[in-house]
Amino acid sequence: MAASDPPPTHATPEHCVSCGRLTSECPGCGRELDPPHFCATCGTRLAVLVKPTGWRGRCKVHGEVAASDR
Amino acid sequence: MSLTSDQPVALTTKPGPARDSQPPLDPAEARLALRNAEQALLDDRRLLTADELAVLARVPDQSVPSLAALAHEVRLAWCGPEVEVEGILSVKTGGCPEDCHFCSQSSAFDTPVKATPFLDTDEVLAAARETAAVGASEFCIVLAVRGPDERTMQRLLDLVPIVRDETGLNIAVSAGILTDEQARRLAEGGVHRYNHNLETARSFFPQVVTTHTWEERLDTCSLVRHYGMELCCGALLGMGESVDQRIELLTQLQDLDPTEVPVNFLNPRPGTPLGEAQVTGALDAIRWIALFRLALPSVILRYAGGREITLRELQALGMTSGINALIVGNYLTTLGRSPEDDLQMLADLKMPIGALSHVI
Ligand code: SF4
Ligand SMILES: [Zn+2]
Ligand SMILES: [Zn+2]
């Protein structure tokens, strides 16, 4: 994560990262080999960049909330 | 077509295994069909006919390894041992006006994929450099569009030489339906290969796409060839098409004679009409990879989307069933297995990595 990115939030995830619903309504519906598509903190749809060798998800409120280099 | 009550009824929204109009061959018939195919492809070096392919499609499950072994021999005889490695990148994701029922990037369906604008050149370059670093020779720039508008054309024509010259990769583009003039400009602009999939047989296409026709896709494929770009024209299996329709697609691909055919298996995408479809079984996938090779002996046959969920631990078997190219790493909106796993697989199989082009 770059130094300019916002500090990671330590709040308990409240939203399913695959459908955006509250975790009380969806304990996890993610399919194999799907990156997260929703912010765990606020449930907003993420702008996801998938590259051959990595991916990252950016929330318009919380910045880059998820990333992997594979 | 009439269906008896014990046949699975294939609905577009929930396809199962491909429906076959005829029973499997018995073992003796299967051996004879394999011998005839071997004679045609290895001794006579001629293409198989639709009827011959239809017979081979009916070998029983226990003969699929023999079918795969023949396909591997055909691949080695017609293409050699090299495997071409490619990375793909979605540079403009989602918000597509088309309604391809399998696609999470269509704006017609409520899917988790958020539309994002054209990536910056730096981001594309970084992804291309990382792709080159894992041994790829090909990099495909993909856009979720019906076809490119003038602004998109300009961005592509700027981007292609930059990425090519900075990385040494061959640059492929996939930007939908092209006009004659657009095809010419992309060819002149250094696009090495253009991807435009037929996806499925002409007779099945209207069941999965209503916003454009199969013929429009064919027209773009013809323009690509006309202007001297290599044509990459793939298939997506497992959408509810029948065995006969898969054979139909193979003969349509034989007529089109593309340089490359990426074979995708449906990875059902949440929110799309095919979102709850059954995944193709592993042995069925091997059967059809082999049949693609036997139908298209000289083509670059690429492992593409869906192989991880379809084949799981049988992925190495696909490499000895006719495949001679693969997409490495992640796909457009979904993830693949790690490039290291694929490179290890190729090393274990003693398959050298190299750039390929049409071989006859
Ligand atoms: S044209 Fe391409 S991006 Fe658009 S919906 Fe069809 S498959 Fe998806
Ligand atoms: Zn969920
Ligand atoms: Zn957020």
Side-chain angles (χ1 to χ4, degrees), chain A residues 18-19 31-35 37-38 45-56 58 60 70, chain B residues 88-89 110-112 114 119 123 130-131 268-270 275-276 308 329-335 338:
Chain A
S18 301
C19 69
R31 300 191 188 185
E32 204 185 341
L33 299 173
D34 275 355
H37 284 288
F38 294 88
R45 209 178 286 256
L46 302 175
V48 180
L49 168 62
V50 177
K51 299 183 296 173
T53 53
W55 56 266
R56 65 166 192 261
R58 183 170 285 276
K60 69 173 188 276
R70 59 188 291 174
Chain B
I88 62 174
L89 178 70
D110 183 16
T111 79
K114 182 180 166 77
L119 295 180
E123 290 191 295
E130 289 161 14
T131 303
R269 298 290 75 215
E276 301 302 323
E308 291 85 358
N330 298 325
Y331 299 99
L332 302 174
T333 63
T334 59
L335 309 180
S338 79

Side-chain angles (χ1 to χ4, degrees), chain B residues 2-15:
Chain B
S2 68
L3 294 168
T4 57
S5 57
D6 59 347
Q7 282 179 303
V9 178
L11 300 173
T12 303
T13 49
K14 190 118 188 161

Side-chain angles (χ1 to χ4, degrees), chain B residues 137-273:
Chain B
S137 56
E138 194 89 16
F139 183 68
C140 189
I141 294 170
V142 185
L143 293 90
V145 290
R146 176 187 168 87
D149 58 16
E150 184 51 31
R151 219 168 124 229
T152 301
M153 282 296 293
Q154 287 298 342
R155 287 294 320 267
L156 286 170
L157 292 169
D158 289 345
L159 196 54
V160 167
I162 295 173
V163 178
R164 182 195 56 205
D165 296 347
E166 289 280 326
T167 63
L169 292 163
N170 290 320
I171 308 300
V173 167
S174 182
I177 295 167
L178 299 177
T179 64
D180 187 288
E181 191 216 352
Q182 287 171 335
R184 179 183 54 74
R185 288 165 69 200
L186 290 174
E188 288 171 3
V191 174
H192 163 73
R193 197 175 286 173
Y194 192 84
N195 165 261
H196 199 58
N197 293 343
L198 286 180
E199 308 291 11
T200 194
R202 185 198 300 252
S203 66
F204 188 69
F205 192 84
Q207 294 194 45
V208 286
V209 182
T210 69
T211 48
H212 61 268
T213 63
W214 190 92
E215 287 74 12
E216 285 177 276
R217 300 192 78 83
L218 187 68
D219 288 347
T220 290
C221 291
S222 304
L223 286 173
V224 168
R225 295 210 50 181
H226 176 75
Y227 285 108
M229 290 181 280
E230 292 186 351
L231 173 63
C232 167
C233 182
L236 174 55
L237 301 180
M239 297 192 287
E241 72 284 356
S242 67
V243 167
D244 291 346
Q245 285 167 325
R246 289 183 183 177
I247 299 294
E248 178 193 334
L249 171 63
L250 285 176
T251 57
Q252 287 156 348
L253 286 168
Q254 282 180 329
D255 290 345
L256 193 54
D257 192 25
T259 299
E260 172 185 337
V261 173
V263 183
N264 296 277
F265 297 100
L266 181 71
N267 179 356
R269 298 290 75 215
T272 65

